[in-house]
Amino acid sequence: MDDAAAHPTPTLADLTTFRVGGPVARLVEADTESALVEAVSRADAAGTPCLVLGGGSNLLASDSPFPGVVVRDLRGEITHSQAQGAGPICDPVLVTATAGTPWDALVAHSVEQGLSGLEALSGIPGSVGAAPVQNVGAYGAEVADTLVHLRAWDRFAERVVTLEAAELDFGYRMSVLKRSLENPSPARGGRLWGPTGRWAVLEATFGLAATGHSAPIRYAELARRLGVEVGAVAPSRDVREAVLELRASKGMVLDAADHDTWSAGSFFTNPVLDPEAAERLLPEGAPRFPTAHGQVKTSAAWLIDHAGLPKGWAPESVCDDRGVARASLSTKHVLALTNRGGASAADVEALARAVITGVEDAWGITLVPEPVALGITW
């Protein structure tokens, strides 16, 4: 098999968990690091848009053709090493996974090996390479908690670089990698990077504890499911099983037979407001979580639900002549927008805009979509 194989006229609907999106000019499937770097480099040299894709679980692509190259990372390797200079007790183990490794495969592997730190992130779709870009998180944990460093192809410097966790400037669903999408590139004549940012992740390394027990449980719902207090620990295997059960109950574990999982997971980030704005805009009873920067984070799901947009809701514009929705809020969780089986990207976009408008009208708060938008401007 060649390191990279080209395929004719694939569509992004075939490559994403939303199952919507138009045809792409070229798909390259890379099964080595050199093949991936070569494909990206060739696209950049030709001035062709380039999308590096893993699991396709955080992308909403428009129905229009994508006139560029989609580079799909097929690599899936996990290795271990001991952290240098570690102490004699609970020595951290460095676990490195190639960017194309499915995220949950890494989590499952770590739990099976008796390592802790990733268990609360079980069941999240997508690849290891995408996880630090978004600083994915769930149930009180996020990638920034355990990431040590990553290797990436720097499209500007045209070389492989190692970026330490401190250099990634992690925030809530944010990193330097993601911010680069908003920065003009001198290498591209001042055009914005995108749809992949300046750095294409090649592999990521995490520091995990060899204890067999979880990191402290930070999320009340998970603590209740485990029968422990917030801040307590539990066997990592138990935490993983509980998280998978909770995610499945909300349609957040991929299942081809369940249209509630034909989505990009949580579609909107939780709004983070200045204290004055929170006091002015948030109604009594709305969740309020203080952040490390003195701001107030609230729940997008609560705002949607209390704006009169319940589970399964859809505007008339995305329904057929019989009133059956082509796209709707999940029937299990209002934060997920779902393809009910025959949706177009335009249907999903219309649903998202209707939700944004509904929350703005009710609370004066503008929700921000979390997935990467390709061919769509919010």
Side-chain angles (χ1 to χ4, degrees):
M1 176 180 175
D2 294 336
D3 281 348
H7 299 268
T9 60
T11 71
L12 283 162
D14 301 324
L15 302 172
T16 62
T17 56
F18 250 133
R19 305 191 186 207
V20 299
V24 302
R26 186 165 184 258
L27 170 66
V28 175
E29 296 191 323
D31 58 11
T32 67
E33 181 176 299
S34 62
L36 189 152
V37 169
E38 181 182 4
V40 174
S41 298
R42 283 184 176 180
D44 286 345
T48 302
C50 181
L51 170 65
V52 179
L53 193 65
S57 61
N58 194 49
L59 178 70
L60 175 59
S62 76
D63 299 309
S64 301
F66 175 58
V69 178
V70 174
V71 183
R72 194 177 183 198
D73 190 345
L74 301 183
R75 301 169 303 137
E77 302 170 12
I78 302 173
T79 58
H80 296 186
S81 63
Q82 201 70 40
Q84 295 183 356
I89 301 175
C90 297
D91 292 349
V93 175
L94 299 181
V95 179
T96 299
T98 51
T101 305
W103 174 259
D104 195 54
L106 171 62
V107 179
H109 175 85
S110 70
V111 171
E112 289 166 2
Q113 297 297 314
L115 304 176
S116 69
L118 299 180
E119 55 284 333
L121 301 177
S122 293
I124 294 177
S127 65
V128 168
V133 176
Q134 192 76 3
N135 189 20
V136 298
Y139 297 103
E142 58 186 14
V143 162
D145 296 336
T146 53
L147 186 83
V148 176
H149 57 248
L150 57 80
R151 291 176 62 253
W153 174 250
D154 186 335
R155 299 168 65 192
F156 175 61
E158 297 185 344
R159 63 186 178 90
V160 175
V161 297
T162 297
L163 299 176
E164 302 296 329
E167 299 178 79
L168 297 174
D169 193 22
F170 282 124
Y172 172 60
R173 302 297 179 269
M174 185 56 67
S175 70
V176 161
L177 308 172
K178 185 175 180 180
R179 289 190 187 95
S180 74
L181 288 167
E182 303 170 358
N183 300 329
S185 164
R188 294 166 57 84
R191 289 181 295 149
L192 294 177
W193 293 107
T196 290
R198 171 177 167 176
W199 294 275
V201 179
L202 301 173
E203 65 179 26
T205 297
F206 301 84
L208 307 179
T211 64
H213 283 78
S214 70
I217 306 299
R218 302 174 185 168
Y219 200 79
E221 183 182 22
L222 178 57
R224 287 194 297 271
R225 176 63 66 100
L226 291 163
V228 301
E229 297 293 326
V230 172
V233 300
S236 296
R237 290 178 183 272
D238 293 352
V239 174
R240 174 170 168 76
E241 290 176 4
V243 168
L244 289 173
E245 290 172 359
L246 286 170
R247 291 185 65 86
S249 71
K250 299 174 183 179
M252 297 291 186
V253 176
L254 293 180
D255 179 352
D258 182 0
H259 288 299
D260 278 330
T261 73
W262 291 27
S263 74
S266 298
F267 194 86
F268 299 103
T269 57
N270 290 320
V272 179
L273 308 172
D274 292 332
E276 297 78 11
E279 183 65 27
R280 185 176 70 256
L281 298 174
L282 290 181
E284 184 176 352
R288 290 173 168 82
F289 307 103
T291 74
H293 302 289
Q295 296 175 303
V296 178
K297 182 165 69 174
T298 190
S299 165
W302 190 98
L303 296 173
I304 294 168
D305 191 32
H306 288 77
L309 310 177
K311 298 172 186 176
W313 179 84
E316 290 184 7
S317 62
V318 300
C319 296
D320 62 22
D321 294 340
R322 299 169 298 162
V324 177
R326 296 183 296 271
S328 77
L329 297 183
S330 167
T331 66
K332 300 181 179 73
H333 195 279
V334 295
L335 200 51
L337 277 59
T338 66
N339 176 352
R340 306 316 297 179
S344 65
D347 290 327
V348 177
E349 180 184 355
L351 172 62
R353 294 189 186 281
V355 173
I356 292 170
T357 297
V359 170
E360 283 181 338
D361 290 346
W363 311 119
I365 295 172
T366 302
L367 294 181
V368 176
E370 183 174 329
V372 174
L374 179 60
I376 297 169
T377 301
W378 299 111

